[in-house]
Every structure is written in C-alpha cells, then in structure tokens.
Amino acid sequence: MATTTHQITCAADDCDAYSITAFLQPLTAEDRAARHRQQLAQDGWSDVEGRDYCPDHPVTVPTP
C-alpha cells in the first residue's frame, strides 16, 4: 500500500506556512483534499474564494 499526501500552502503574501497530510489508505484525490480541508478548518485555517490562509493570517472577504 502506498502512502499518499495532500499539501496546502498559505495564500498570504510572504507567508511560508503549509500543512501536509499523509494517508495510508487508498483515496481519490477529491477525498484526500476534503479530509485535509476538514482538518485544516479544525486547526483554524480559512478558505476564502478558493485561497487558503493559515491561522496567523486572518482574512476578510473582499467587497465586490
């Protein structure tokens, strides 16, 4: 069985924060991403308009 990983990097300018999750079970790419995003939300990461931000970079949604 091969280990697979999924990585998210903070979208804030000049931020090097990232999160990597490894999976030992065979999952589709979509399932790996969904599980990783669920854990990121629990850890304080935010997803705004498809961009991910670490807990150190609070984000406000741009006004149209």
Side-chain angles (χ1 to χ4, degrees):
M1 177 178 342
T3 302
T4 58
T5 61
H6 187 260
Q7 178 176 335
I8 298 287
T9 304
C10 182
D13 293 337
D14 300 324
C15 182
D16 296 333
Y18 62 92
S19 175
I20 297 175
T21 300
F23 300 92
L24 297 176
Q25 62 207 51
L27 296 171
T28 65
E30 293 81 16
D31 287 340
R32 287 191 306 268
R35 287 187 182 192
H36 193 187
R37 288 188 182 285
Q38 181 181 21
Q39 184 61 49
L40 289 173
Q42 291 174 2
D43 292 342
W45 283 66
S46 57
D47 179 354
V48 178
E49 296 181 349
R51 298 184 63 177
D52 299 296
Y53 295 89
C54 70
D56 292 334
H57 293 97
V59 179
T60 57
V61 177
T63 54

